[in-house]
Amino acid sequence: MLQKIQAVKGMNDLLPEESGRWEWFEDTVRDVARQYGYRLVRAPVVEPTNLFVRSIGEVTDIVEKEMYSFEDSLNGDKLTLRPELTAGIIRSAIEHSWLHAGPQRVWAMGPVFRHERPQKGRYRQFYQFDVEALGFEGPDVDAEQIVMLARIWKRLGLTDVELEINSIGDAAERRVHREKLIAHFEAHADVLDEDARRRLHSNPLRILDTKNPAMQSMVEAAPKLLDVLGEASLAHFDGLKRLLNEAGLGFRINPRLVRGLDYYNRTVFEWVTPIDGRTLTITGGGRYDGLFEQLGGKPTPGVGFGMGIERVMLKLAEVAAAMPVHAPDAYVAHLDAPAFANEVAERLRDAGKAVVSHAGGGSFKSQMKKADASGARWAIIIGEAERDSRSVTLKPLREEGQQQLISIDQLADAL
Ligand code: ATP
Ligand code: MG
């Protein structure tokens, strides 16, 4: 026998028995996005490597070590499997000038790729639900997206999710803070780990994000960006906090929240939740008012978020044991009457019903087992007598009740 081929490490299959929950999730977020006036956009999975280097930033985890990059074997172009969805959307907005008539609210969903060490909730291919509001100064639209997320958690039945927010100001404020930060880290050089020492001058802000326990107290004591914010940034942040308060949303200000991508400014936020005993981020987002210019577009403010769908699925599996399966309304069992069985099934589908028509032959007994296992509410049984009288035997599978012979003209109504 030939050796079996296995999936790439860290890249998962969605199996049929798991897909009900994914479909339910996707239907839910699609519907909420529509409720808030966000429209679907799709950008390619493969983009020029430069797009991500210029947007996400050279000294970030993603660009430094997580991208799947390769050369086009025909022309040598440098290409990358997208590690997130925002950059492609902004590229598309600039390329096709789809903001010419004013601001736009858009969303996207799909796979992204990061070469990380796989573990629970961390994969090399994973899915994001992504929402972007382009051309809005905020903070009203910043709050809108956070409120929208709260609605999504509610629709999904998630209650123990927590919101953390912060403001990381503008570029000038971050420069001032950066000097203070470097001075603080240099004064505590003895506790810096290798990663932090490497980042000290390239991206000191990211050191605040460290998960190294030995560095926690030193990082807690570091100068806070919030303390150096100017009037405009403070007003924006105050506006956001006020809107969230008025919407009745609780939040925690986390001065160390800086996010892993370089393009953010002002508002940053994360939603976190315990999964399997660990606190994981299920959504991260923020404002990126400089990103359009960084990618060669006209100055355009923007704000958005990315949701890690696998992590939400892990959470849903913990809190909701049973998930509505997409069971058919009826299962058609028949003995040697494929044409009539199809006619019956098609008529019911015309009436909007979901109908599985038995394929592959076999006895009535084995077909009825399959009908039962399908979760269908009704079995529709077709033998010679039924076929000859253009009728079917209708048998309830989920509740008590007599089976009855019924003409196919009355069948859709009977269901
Ligand atoms: P982390 O700090 O966990 O690495 P991040 O800051 O890199 O997260 P973002 O770039 O903000 O994550 O991506 C948005 C969301 O996608 C995250 O909040 C998380 O839920 C999810 N996510 C990020 N990386 C992975 C991964 N490797 N596998 C599965 N989900 C992920
Ligand atoms: Mg990461």
Side-chain angles (χ1 to χ4, degrees):
M1 267 227 293
L2 287 178
Q3 208 182 357
K4 281 188 235 157
I5 297 175
Q6 296 193 314
V8 177
K9 193 174 167 210
M11 304 203 180
N12 301 314
D13 299 312
L14 174 61
L15 310 183
E17 60 260 34
E18 299 161 356
S19 60
R21 181 170 281 141
W22 277 76
E23 283 197 274
W24 175 66
F25 169 87
E26 290 175 17
D27 290 347
T28 303
V29 295
R30 202 174 272 128
D31 188 52
V32 174
R34 184 190 54 75
Q35 286 188 292
Y36 285 76
Y38 285 74
R39 300 203 291 181
L40 173 67
V41 289
R42 286 199 183 114
V45 169
V46 177
E47 295 273 7
T49 299
N50 233 346
L51 173 65
F52 304 113
V53 176
R54 268 163 70 182
S55 58
I56 298 169
E58 213 136 10
V59 250
T60 55
D61 282 345
I62 294 179
V63 172
E64 271 181 351
K65 51 188 191 209
E66 296 175 359
M67 295 209 300
Y68 281 90
S69 297
F70 56 98
E71 271 185 23
D72 185 316
S73 59
L74 289 180
N75 60 14
D77 283 355
K78 292 189 164 52
L79 304 175
T80 292
L81 300 183
R82 62 185 182 193
E84 51 101 54
L85 298 176
T86 307
I89 294 173
I90 308 307
R91 184 217 24 85
S92 168
I94 296 170
E95 185 169 339
H96 304 287
S97 326
W98 45 259
L99 292 172
H100 68 93
Q104 289 271 3
R105 292 174 166 88
V106 297
W107 67 274
M109 188 150 49
V112 300
F113 304 83
R114 295 185 192 177
H115 203 281
E116 303 196 69
R117 192 194 303 274
Q119 49 183 285
K120 194 167 186 186
R122 194 172 290 284
Y123 311 103
R124 290 180 171 173
Q125 173 180 283
F126 63 99
Y127 282 74
Q128 284 191 342
F129 169 59
D130 189 83
V131 164
E132 314 287 351
L134 309 178
F136 299 91
E137 301 265 355
D140 48 358
V141 74
D142 309 21
E144 169 183 288
Q145 291 187 352
I146 292 173
V147 167
M148 173 176 176
L149 281 160
R151 181 177 295 278
I152 290 174
W153 307 139
K154 197 168 146 203
R155 288 269 301 262
L156 295 175
L158 298 183
T159 47
D160 58 343
V161 284
E162 281 178 22
L163 172 62
E164 296 192 351
I165 63 170
N166 190 22
S167 173
I168 58 169
D170 62 23
E173 289 153 359
R174 278 201 300 282
R175 266 196 300 279
V176 172
H177 175 247
R178 182 191 151 95
E179 295 313 312
K180 294 184 185 221
L181 206 53
I182 293 175
H184 174 81
F185 291 143
E186 280 176 338
H188 297 88
D190 48 321
V191 285
L192 297 183
D193 59 16
E194 197 192 311
D195 216 35
R197 269 198 292 274
R198 192 168 49 84
R199 292 236 150 90
L200 183 56
H201 292 280
S202 61
N203 199 348
L205 199 60
R206 289 283 283 143
I207 299 177
L208 294 177
D209 205 21
T210 181
K211 277 140 195 149
N212 182 349
M215 288 170 56
Q216 292 309 309
S217 59
M218 184 275 295
V219 155
E220 297 281 353
K224 296 185 171 48
L225 240 167
L226 280 178
D227 295 332
V228 304
L229 293 188
E231 232 171 88
S233 291
L234 275 178
H236 191 106
F237 194 43
D238 287 342
L240 173 65
K241 288 186 285 186
R242 193 165 343 107
L243 286 163
L244 293 178
N245 279 326
E246 280 164 9
L249 282 189
F251 57 83
R252 199 169 74 83
I253 296 173
N254 175 358
R256 281 177 50 196
L257 182 61
V258 292
R259 312 271 310 114
L261 301 82
D262 269 0
Y263 52 59
Y264 288 109
N265 69 310
R266 290 193 172 165
T267 308
V268 290
F269 62 88
E270 289 191 353
W271 287 86
V272 299
T273 192
I275 297 175
D276 201 14
R278 286 185 307 152
T279 300
L280 288 184
T281 303
I282 49 175
T283 292
R287 185 157 272 286
Y288 46 83
D289 298 331
L291 185 53
F292 274 78
E293 279 163 281
Q294 236 166 287
L295 294 177
K298 282 189 284 206
T300 310
V303 60
F305 64 77
M307 183 186 297
I309 303 182
E310 281 80 358
R311 293 191 190 175
V312 175
M313 290 301 147
L314 286 172
K315 184 69 188 178
L316 286 172
E318 275 182 16
V319 299
M323 184 52 40
V325 273
H326 284 250
D329 299 301
Y331 192 102
V332 182
H334 64 93
L335 274 188
D336 278 338
F340 186 53
N342 278 341
E343 186 190 337
V344 170
E346 283 296 295
R347 276 204 184 203
L348 289 174
R349 291 173 190 137
D350 284 344
K353 300 293 177 195
V355 183
V356 175
S357 190
H358 183 79
S363 67
F364 263 135
K365 197 171 163 210
S366 71
Q367 293 193 34
M368 290 306 287
K369 267 193 195 148
K370 290 213 165 70
D372 204 44
S374 75
R377 231 185 114 198
W378 303 96
I380 291 170
I381 302 163
I382 299 172
E384 213 173 314
E386 283 90 352
R387 188 189 52 193
D388 292 344
S389 62
R390 292 190 59 76
S391 57
V392 303
T393 297
L394 186 61
K395 180 175 159 53
L397 294 174
R398 307 287 140 203
E399 60 222 59
E400 293 301 310
Q402 289 294 312
Q403 60 181 52
Q404 50 173 321
L405 191 70
I406 185 166
S407 129
I408 62 169
D409 296 324
Q410 275 136 32
L411 185 56
D413 285 340
L415 290 198

